[in-house]
Amino acid sequence: MINIALIGCTGSIGRQTLEVVQSYPDLFRVTALVCGSDAESLTALKKQFSPRIALCASEGEIAYEEIFAGCDVAFIAAGGFAGLRYTMSAIEAGKRVLLANKESLVCGGEIVMQAAKRRGVEIVPVDSEHSAIFQALGFDRHAKFEKLILTASGGPFLNFSAKELARVTPAMTLVHPVWKMGEKVTVDSATLLNKGYEVIEAKWLFGADFDKIEAVVHPEGIVHSVVTFADGASLAQLGFPDMRLPIQLALTYPERLPCMPALDFSKIGALHFLPLPREKFPCFGLALKAGRAGGTAPTVLNGAAEIAVRAFLKGHITFPQIAETIEEVLCKIPQRAAESIPALEEADGMARRAAQALIYGK
Ligand code: MG
């Protein structure tokens, strides 16, 4: 029996995780359910899964140690910068972390990986690209490789002109051609900020230099990422674009249990791989620039992005202004060393306030 503390249980990944839990009731048990603000859904889930503890973060103080007591694995599916606190608490509690929260590594990569090493805790990737790389490496995170190649669907606006991009609406953005995801990640996929985040995640998860990580557009969403080795061989993981597979595998690896139907290769047809259109989607380059700068820069980038995306979804700024806001905030806020979580939280707050001021005036 695997006892799971699930953080972010009412979001898209959280709900798909609970579907996986339900498909193997004799194997998985939920010991804790935590959500951000959807208390109504939490009440329903509490009835259904009878966890030892159920908490809504917006309704009071969170006792982090309490959440992770009695679990075998901490599944961090919360979205945004807030996920970092949970990841750190799970590591401090000595629990294996199944990580679907991108910001934990984007913002806190150095601190998180150091803490995990110190506590002897494993960080297992859930994001489909990183799960694919982990699989292609034979679950050996110390295996030698030449390059990690992250695939990107390219989002709904891959072939849009700059003029067309200036006119896209939130509704158009929230329809992703391949994956079913939460709102923030769906917008980040359309701006390609998400792929920039995933490059930073890959750097921390697999100890790779930025020069060894590439991203390519693969519109079909069948090849979930590729690893290239010194002899020129490339290994990839292929499958239907459905998060339940990487979620289930993170829970059971190295064992594989029935989850999805396999691909029928006689029916797939052509698969395409194209260069990432970086000029048209500046968020990707901004994320890489912040990632290379290190310190608090990725946290500043992320804080600005969270405010800008929310403003875009409310119709307050245009699609291209998401990148413009992020770039201006990155220029404005001095970058510091990321020596502690409070230092990151301070940078996050500064970035949010700067983004608010840019969008709404002081
Ligand atoms: Mg992904």
Side-chain angles (χ1 to χ4, degrees):
M1 185 65 93
I2 300 170
N3 293 299
I4 306 163
L6 177 57
I7 314 304
C9 62
T10 56
S12 171
I13 296 288
R15 287 189 179 276
Q16 292 180 77
T17 303
L18 291 172
E19 276 181 50
V20 169
V21 165
Q22 276 178 311
S23 64
Y24 288 98
D26 299 332
L27 183 59
F28 303 131
R29 179 168 55 203
V30 175
T31 55
L33 287 175
V34 178
C35 75
S37 57
D38 189 355
E40 207 179 312
S41 297
L42 182 68
T43 306
L45 293 174
K46 195 175 160 186
K47 262 190 201 145
Q48 201 178 347
F49 291 93
S50 321
R52 196 178 55 78
I53 184 168
L55 284 172
C56 182
S58 64
E59 293 195 338
E61 279 292 297
I62 290 282
Y64 291 98
E65 313 82 56
E66 263 292 290
I67 298 169
F68 299 111
C71 74
D72 300 307
V73 299
F75 200 114
I76 315 292
F81 183 73
L84 176 59
R85 275 275 180 190
Y86 292 102
T87 300
M88 285 304 291
S89 304
I91 293 170
E92 293 305 338
K95 306 297 180 179
R96 174 185 280 196
V97 173
L98 279 44
L99 193 57
N101 173 264
K102 291 164 191 284
E103 291 79 1
S104 290
L105 290 178
V106 169
C107 304
E110 198 169 353
I111 297 172
V112 165
M113 295 314 283
Q114 273 175 7
K117 198 173 172 193
R118 179 168 41 81
R119 293 288 287 131
V121 162
E122 193 182 358
I123 311 279
V124 182
V126 175
D127 209 349
S128 63
E129 293 80 359
H130 307 83
S131 173
I133 290 168
F134 196 35
Q135 293 174 63
L137 290 172
F139 299 128
D140 177 4
R141 60 188 74 239
H142 303 297
K144 280 193 182 159
F145 54 82
E146 271 305 297
K147 274 222 156 106
L148 306 178
I149 298 144
L150 301 167
T151 52
S153 71
F157 311 132
L158 184 59
N159 299 313
F160 275 38
S161 68
K163 243 186 188 171
E164 287 171 315
L165 281 177
R167 285 198 293 261
V168 307
T169 63
M172 286 158 76
T173 312
L174 291 177
V175 188
H176 193 272
V178 179
W179 294 94
K180 180 182 88 188
M181 303 174 292
E183 281 193 350
K184 169 70 166 52
V185 185
T186 305
V187 177
D188 288 351
S189 294
T191 61
L192 295 191
L193 179 68
N194 181 56
K195 208 48 60 180
Y197 276 15
E198 290 179 352
V199 170
I200 303 175
E201 280 184 273
K203 172 201 153 60
W204 293 114
L205 281 168
F206 304 108
D209 289 340
F210 281 107
D211 298 334
K212 286 197 163 193
I213 312 168
E214 280 175 18
V216 295
V217 170
H218 166 51
E220 291 84 11
I222 295 290
V223 175
H224 297 309
S225 279
V226 182
V227 180
T228 297
F229 298 90
D231 60 358
S234 295
L235 295 186
Q237 184 250 329
L238 286 70
F240 286 110
D242 192 307
M243 281 308 294
R244 284 171 294 182
L245 192 149
I247 288 169
Q248 182 178 300
L249 187 62
L251 286 163
T252 65
Y253 109 90
E255 201 178 341
R256 291 181 185 270
L257 298 175
C259 182
M260 301 296 300
L263 293 168
D264 180 348
F265 280 85
S266 67
K267 290 184 182 148
I268 293 177
L271 296 177
H272 298 85
F273 300 91
L274 311 152
L276 210 73
R278 294 176 65 149
E279 296 76 38
K280 234 168 39 176
F281 298 96
C283 282
F284 178 78
L286 287 170
L288 256 60
K289 200 174 146 194
R292 283 179 187 272
T296 52
T299 302
V300 169
L301 169 98
N302 179 71
E306 289 195 25
I307 296 297
V309 168
R310 203 184 305 155
F312 168 69
L313 287 173
K314 285 183 181 161
H316 296 158
I317 59 172
T318 65
F319 187 82
Q321 283 176 317
I322 297 174
E324 288 165 25
T325 305
I326 294 171
E327 188 166 18
E328 279 195 54
V329 172
L330 270 174
C331 286
K332 252 193 186 141
I333 296 183
Q335 175 211 331
R336 302 214 179 94
E339 74 274 348
S340 66
I341 298 294
L344 293 182
E345 284 172 342
E346 195 193 329
D348 174 66
M350 283 170 73
R352 283 168 197 269
R353 286 189 296 276
Q356 287 277 4
L358 273 173
I359 295 168
Y360 299 106
K362 283 182 188 166

